[in-house]
Amino acid sequence: GIDEATMSSQTTSDHDSNSSNNNNDNSLPPDHNNGNDTTPINNTNQNSPPLEEWEIRRDDLKSQGDAHFRSGSFPAAILSYQSALDLDPANHILLSNKSAAHLANGEKSKALVDARKCVEVMPEGWVKGHTRLAAAMASLGRFGEAAGVYQKVLAEIDGGNEVAKRGLEDCRRKERLANEEREREVKRVQMELDREKEEKERRKKESLEKAQQT
């Protein structure tokens, strides 16, 4: 799912389960659902100061991006998230959402760039940033690196995280299949080279025999 809540509760921004919709985006691996975060960002309790104009504008742009994402208009979502990031460049939720939009739009390398930035600035222990990074890595076929990220989540942050468990299992399976495919390709190429060598030797032998006959 996408993080549709306004960025209005920094105190609950670290975990999806605390969002206003009580949505938990960890129900599926990010590389399977391409979902965006539904976590609020700023604190809007009664003791909080009113939002600045730029914060209101940022939240509006994020809401637009969320709407575009839900409708499948990923390029438009990317533009909206980027405009919001222009106002708040180190916002980890915006970076996470933009990474997801890039991934959904088939822009895997850009998804990885934003995911890396997200991990650099996000609060410590925010699992979604790590799983977003792993999803981008896996989309590029970097299953070993992605598995390492999932392992870090399980070993250092949340040992029972189902997204990381399934993601790790999926990456290991895909890495094993990729290795098997590479082995088959190596064997195929070697067989082709052996056939070419045999053919050259056969032709060379025929040429020598013809030369001797003349």
Side-chain angles (χ1 to χ4, degrees):
I2 61 174
D3 196 334
E4 302 175 36
T6 58
M7 295 179 286
S8 56
S9 179
Q10 189 64 46
T11 58
T12 62
S13 64
D14 293 353
H15 302 284
D16 294 329
S17 59
N18 292 330
S19 70
S20 61
N21 291 339
N22 213 20
N23 255 347
N24 190 338
D25 280 343
N26 291 338
S27 59
L28 289 174
D31 50 337
H32 290 170
N33 65 18
N34 289 325
N36 277 9
D37 299 317
T38 54
T39 310
I41 289 183
N42 291 319
N43 196 338
T44 56
N45 61 48
Q46 293 180 350
N47 297 324
S48 300
L51 293 178
E52 298 288 343
E53 287 187 10
W54 71 268
E55 292 176 308
I56 295 173
R57 176 58 178 160
R58 176 202 61 192
D59 289 358
D60 287 343
L61 287 165
K62 178 187 178 297
S63 295
Q64 292 173 24
D66 295 343
H68 289 312
F69 189 99
R70 290 195 306 274
S71 68
S73 301
F74 303 122
I78 292 167
L79 290 175
S80 293
Y81 291 139
Q82 183 56 57
S83 295
L85 280 165
D86 290 342
L87 298 171
D88 195 357
N91 190 292
H92 64 287
I93 291 179
L94 289 171
L95 287 165
S96 175
N97 283 13
K98 185 162 169 273
S99 175
H102 277 306
L103 193 59
N105 200 44
E107 299 171 320
K108 301 174 183 179
S109 294
K110 291 181 179 180
L112 180 58
V113 169
D114 281 335
R116 288 192 186 280
K117 291 179 182 177
C118 175
V119 170
E120 289 175 3
V121 302
M122 70 185 188
E124 184 177 354
W126 197 60
V127 174
K128 174 56 72 67
H130 292 292
T131 56
R132 188 73 75 207
L133 176 61
M137 289 175 170
S139 73
L140 290 164
R142 295 160 65 168
F143 303 119
E145 292 178 69
V149 175
Y150 286 127
Q151 286 177 316
K152 179 178 180 178
V153 169
L154 294 171
E156 301 178 14
I157 304 175
D158 181 4
N161 188 274
E162 291 299 324
V163 172
K165 287 181 180 179
R166 290 196 296 270
L168 178 58
E169 181 180 351
D170 190 53
C171 284
R172 285 174 171 170
R173 179 181 62 81
K174 290 179 178 178
E175 185 174 26
R176 184 176 66 254
L177 292 174
N179 288 337
E180 291 173 356
E181 178 60 29
R182 281 193 291 270
E183 290 175 3
R184 286 193 294 269
E185 180 63 15
V186 168
K187 290 180 180 178
R188 187 193 67 77
V189 171
Q190 186 59 53
M191 289 177 63
E192 185 65 26
L193 291 174
D194 290 343
R195 282 196 294 268
E196 290 179 359
K197 182 179 180 181
E198 290 175 0
E199 181 64 18
K200 287 181 179 179
E201 290 177 350
R202 185 185 65 79
R203 290 179 180 178
K204 181 179 180 181
K205 183 178 179 180
E206 289 180 351
S207 296
L208 288 174
E209 289 177 350
K210 287 181 180 180
Q212 290 174 354
Q213 292 175 358
T214 59

